[in-house]
Amino acid sequence: SAVISQKPSRDICQRGTSLTIQCQVDSQVTMMFWYRQQPGQSLTLIATANQGSEATYESGFVIDKFPISRPNLTFSTLTVSNMSPEDSSIYLCSAHDQSVRGSYNEQFFGPGTRLTVL
Amino acid sequence: AQSVTQLGSHVSVSEGALVLLRCNYSSSVPPYLFWYVQYPNQGLQLLLKYTSAATLVKGINGFEAEFKKSETSFHLTKPSAHMSDAAEYFCAVSEGGGNKLTFGTGTQLKVEL
């Protein structure tokens, strides 16, 4: 299983600013995902990030608001741009390695980044 | 399109009692199914997964789940609850090569003395 770390673990930001969240995996993985978990709610997929290609965004999420980078097979960043209080949430990254036999779409999750926007 | 329904956003059991968390899914193809647990202020940890092998799947911490195609269900059980089981539990579905997971709304498990 992959071990995933995220930075920062939490932050309090002002309206209108941007925050970049880093996600580091301890092994090479083919796919990385970014989720949002609003208070008391389930996880909503923001986008899928594959190395060497543009991220694929889910309905309701756009690149201008949530630009994503995936420079290599162990690292990804998510930026939350021009933040508003509605962006207060937990942001989680996860990883799946298609090359692992028997992985069956299993994803491993980071600890999350708790963002509060004032 | 795939979807997951978790009945009961909050479940409370006594320590030592049976834990039953319900999950029903909708999928146009044979699915992969997962249960994840989230402890307070932590990320998600995989409890178990169904991948079309055995219909009764055993996971970590004494949890197990049974895949019932006729009922489109994948309920999570544990014979005897422990205080440390208090957490939020999420059921998730994935369709074949699609790689994406769709999560249910979660069930908060409370374990009382």
Side-chain angles (χ1 to χ4, degrees):
Chain A
S1 64
V3 177
I4 301 173
S5 59
Q6 287 185 232
K7 289 181 181 179
S9 58
R10 61 178 66 238
D11 207 342
I12 300 173
C13 300
Q14 296 297 319
R15 180 195 298 262
T17 62
S18 297
L19 176 72
T20 295
I21 302 168
Q22 299 180 4
C23 180
Q24 179 74 53
V25 189
D26 69 342
S27 59
Q28 295 184 339
V29 293
T30 50
M31 305 182 75
M32 295 182 74
F33 304 84
W34 287 97
Y35 291 85
R36 182 174 71 184
Q37 185 179 23
Q38 294 181 304
Q41 297 189 26
S42 186
L43 283 75
T44 302
L45 181 64
I46 297 171
T48 302
N50 295 328
Q51 194 266 337
S53 63
E54 295 286 331
T56 302
Y57 289 83
E58 297 300 304
S59 176
F61 297 97
V62 295
I63 188 171
D64 289 347
K65 176 66 176 178
F66 297 102
I68 288 171
S69 77
R70 179 82 197 272
N72 57 51
L73 290 173
T74 64
F75 187 79
S76 179
T77 68
L78 169 76
T79 299
V80 186
S81 303
N82 188 25
M83 289 184 286
S84 68
E86 292 70 36
D87 294 318
S88 297
S89 188
I90 299 172
Y91 292 86
L92 296 125
C93 74
S94 71
H96 166 67
D97 191 356
Q98 289 177 302
S99 67
V100 173
R101 188 170 180 174
S103 62
Y104 298 109
N105 297 351
E106 175 180 331
Q107 293 181 21
F108 298 98
F109 283 82
T113 295
R114 285 151 184 79
L115 172 62
T116 302
V117 184
L118 303 177
Chain B
Q2 57 195 34
S3 66
V4 174
T5 301
Q6 289 184 243
L7 289 177
S9 59
H10 291 81
V11 170
S12 183
V13 301
S14 299
E15 190 174 36
L18 171 72
V19 175
L20 171 61
L21 305 183
R22 300 178 185 276
C23 172
N24 288 88
Y25 70 91
S26 173
S27 175
S28 57
V29 299
Y32 300 140
L33 294 161
F34 306 85
W35 275 99
Y36 284 87
V37 60
Q38 185 177 34
Y39 297 102
N41 300 315
Q42 296 187 28
L44 274 70
Q45 180 182 5
L46 181 68
L47 275 176
L48 49 81
K49 62 185 178 186
Y50 167 75
T51 60
S52 76
T55 56
L56 182 63
V57 181
K58 294 187 184 298
I60 62 172
N61 301 339
F63 284 93
E64 63 183 36
E66 185 173 8
F67 173 72
K68 292 187 177 180
K69 184 178 179 180
S70 61
E71 299 177 7
T72 61
S73 69
F74 190 57
H75 302 331
L76 181 71
T77 61
K78 182 174 180 178
S80 178
H82 191 273
M83 296 296 288
S84 61
D85 294 327
E88 182 128 31
Y89 292 79
F90 292 96
C91 183
V93 63
S94 180
E95 290 183 341
N99 301 119
K100 292 193 294 186
L101 294 181
T102 299
F103 285 86
T105 50
T107 297
Q108 185 72 44
L109 176 66
K110 182 178 180 181
V111 182
E112 299 175 318
L113 287 171

